[in-house]
Amino acid sequence: MEYIYAALLIHKAGGKLDESTVKKVLEAAGKKTDDARIKALIASLEGVNIEEAIKKAAAAPVAVAAATSAAPAAEKKEDKKEDEKKNEEQAAAGLSALFG
């Protein structure tokens, strides 16, 4: 992940995304570098619009959250009752452990 973070940092700073800049950022962060991984990263990012990829990645969690919030209300109420019952049982068990 450090390699991707380095590429994002370079992009955000407006620098040229190439092998030498990625290597410099990683070394400045105190990481050992692997030239093969750096070359693979640069090759995989060639032709990629990083801004567009970031926007798509940021939109994905919103879509997932919207899908999960569409669950039926009755199911939510049932789950809430079960959770409350479990919490009460756990609290009682915790108290009995104190007074043993």
Side-chain angles (χ1 to χ4, degrees):
M1 289 302 285
E2 295 89 3
Y3 292 83
I4 295 170
Y5 294 147
L8 289 173
L9 181 63
I10 294 164
H11 173 76
K12 184 68 176 176
K16 183 179 177 188
L17 190 58
D18 60 11
E19 293 174 27
S20 65
T21 54
V22 172
K23 187 172 185 171
K24 287 178 186 177
V25 168
L26 290 170
E27 288 174 346
K31 289 291 187 178
K32 292 183 179 180
T33 59
D34 180 1
D35 290 338
R37 289 182 72 184
I38 294 172
K39 286 180 183 182
L41 174 70
I42 298 301
S44 66
L45 290 176
E46 190 172 320
V48 173
N49 183 343
I50 295 176
E51 287 296 324
E52 185 178 315
I54 291 171
K55 286 179 185 176
K56 285 183 182 179
V62 174
V64 171
T68 58
S69 66
E75 184 179 319
K76 288 184 180 180
K77 287 181 182 178
E78 187 176 309
D79 288 343
K80 188 174 182 180
K81 288 180 183 177
E82 289 177 14
D83 287 343
E84 287 176 2
K85 188 175 180 179
K86 285 181 184 177
N87 286 340
E88 289 174 7
E89 290 173 359
Q90 289 174 346
L95 287 175
S96 66
L98 286 175
F99 299 109

